Amino acid sequence: MRGHVAAPVAARLSFVDRYLAVWILVAMAAGLGLGRLVPGLGDALAKVTVTGVSLPIALGLLVMMYPVLAKVRYDRLGTVTGDRRLLVASLVLNWVLGPALMFALAWIFLPDLPEFRTGLIIVGLARCIAMVIIWNDLACGDREAAAVLVALNSVFQVLAFGLLGWFYLSVLPGWLGLEQTVLDVSVWEIARSVLIFLGVPLAAGFLTRRLGERAKGRTWYETKLLPRIGPFALYGLLFTIVVLFALQGDAITSRPFDVVRIALPLLVYFALMWAGSMTLGKAVGLDYPKATTLAFTAAGNNFELAIAVSIATFGATSGQALAGVVGPLIEVPVLIGLVYVALAARRLFPDPGPAAVSPAVAPEGPAHV
């Protein structure tokens, strides 16, 4: 049965989801080509801005965040308190260990590249609220727990992201005696970006679900409306990547090795966070579905938010923004691989019975990083 479940993981992804890394590569190449073909593109994009972000990029960021947050079951947020072990473990992993680990890896791997280092630290602060649902489903995790933790992270990010950003970018390096060249970041600067690029789509997603379910019911909302609006998250992501790479073209083509250096700490981060979270879940007595949900919600990151904050705070052509853009290219293939690892590790957990081993079916429509 376990082998049967593991085999069709890639097949259960939609065509778009299965080749998401390819689409991201294509968007990157298109952006690089556009940047070379259209001189002065950066100046044109900078003429109209929203909180320091060019209007096209701002719209792309908002479009890619909204469908993800429209999927969240906000009515389930309170039920997470039913399993205190899962709740406490998730909060500690997501908001204590995850940011601290990325901070350490950024300094270990990128001590001489302050912009990329800062970008990775911001990535570590942006906890996953989106594509984790896909990976969790493919690995036969607990769908209800995943929905609850996604909703919890969505709300918690609005409250905590700005404060943690200020701490890890401005306070902690000083305490540790580390030299940081980009530190002029206030709590308000980061919080403002979070409120706009997470708060606005969060409110829109909440109202869409609330009004949609009230008008036509949950079945219609889940089976009709969500598949229609879901693809726009991917379109927004790819559009944003095209524009960013059009602006970043010179930096990327002149320093390709730096892009590789950004990828290395991300690979280490995903591996350590996922394995450590899975081990912790087993240690505190969680069953396989909940331990799997804990692992994927802790290992994934919300690159949309990281990109939005980096652009709003440091600019679209900054190294911080480039670090955020490289993120989904690395995350997608790595977490697909970890789905197979999770299914193989299932034998390490007590078998709860036939009902719990039926393969999950991935939701329809494109996934959202």
Side-chain angles (χ1 to χ4, degrees), residues 100-118 120-121 178 257-272:
L101 176 61
M102 189 68 89
F103 176 87
L105 291 174
W107 274 97
I108 291 171
F109 282 88
L110 303 171
D112 58 329
L113 296 172
E115 289 191 358
F116 295 157
R117 184 175 65 235
T118 300
L120 282 182
I121 292 171
L178 300 172
F257 182 66
D258 290 343
V259 177
V260 176
R261 290 186 62 185
I262 294 173
L264 290 177
L266 285 170
L267 288 170
V268 175
Y269 172 83
F270 291 136
L272 290 179

Side-chain angles (χ1 to χ4, degrees), residues 3-162:
H4 174 73
V5 173
V9 169
R12 297 208 307 272
L13 282 170
S14 70
F15 176 79
V16 174
D17 297 341
R18 197 179 311 162
Y19 298 103
L20 183 58
V22 176
W23 311 140
I24 292 174
L25 280 172
V26 171
M28 290 177 175
L32 291 175
L34 187 63
R36 290 185 174 276
L37 292 173
V38 185
L41 180 63
D43 293 337
L45 293 174
K47 287 183 178 179
V48 182
T49 64
V50 176
T51 187
V53 180
S54 71
L55 183 59
I57 294 178
L59 291 176
L61 293 170
L62 291 172
V63 167
M64 72 182 178
M65 293 288 286
Y66 162 67
V68 175
L69 294 166
K71 281 190 170 186
V72 175
R73 286 285 302 274
Y74 297 95
D75 58 319
R76 292 176 177 167
L77 185 59
T79 63
V80 75
T81 57
D83 192 333
R84 296 296 178 87
R85 296 169 302 173
L86 179 63
L87 173 63
V88 172
S90 180
L91 290 176
V92 170
L93 287 167
N94 275 290
W95 299 102
V96 179
L97 295 181
L101 176 61
M102 189 68 89
F103 176 87
L105 291 174
W107 274 97
I108 291 171
F109 282 88
L110 303 171
D112 58 329
L113 296 172
E115 289 191 358
F116 295 157
R117 184 175 65 235
T118 300
L120 282 182
I121 292 171
I122 293 174
V123 168
L125 298 176
R127 310 313 302 164
C128 190
I129 64 169
M131 193 140 182
V132 63
I133 295 173
I134 297 291
W135 312 133
N136 179 74
D137 221 29
L138 291 174
C140 301
D142 188 317
R143 290 176 175 173
E144 298 298 314
V148 168
L149 293 182
V150 162
L152 185 66
N153 275 341
S154 301
V155 175
F156 206 80
Q157 276 188 127
V158 176
L159 303 176
F161 190 97

Side-chain angles (χ1 to χ4, degrees), residues 241-318:
I241 289 175
V242 169
V243 176
L244 284 175
F245 270 73
L247 299 175
Q248 294 274 9
D250 291 338
I252 295 169
T253 55
S254 63
R255 302 167 67 186
F257 182 66
D258 290 343
V259 177
V260 176
R261 290 186 62 185
I262 294 173
L264 290 177
L266 285 170
L267 288 170
V268 175
Y269 172 83
F270 291 136
L272 290 179
M273 281 299 294
W274 188 90
S277 302
M278 198 75 164
T279 302
L280 176 62
K282 182 173 174 58
V284 300
L286 298 179
D287 58 15
Y288 170 81
K290 287 186 177 180
T292 298
T293 299
L294 179 67
F296 280 103
T297 53
N301 290 88
N302 182 2
F303 287 100
E304 297 98 329
L305 179 60
I307 293 170
V309 171
S310 294
I311 294 172
T313 307
F314 302 102
T317 59
S318 65

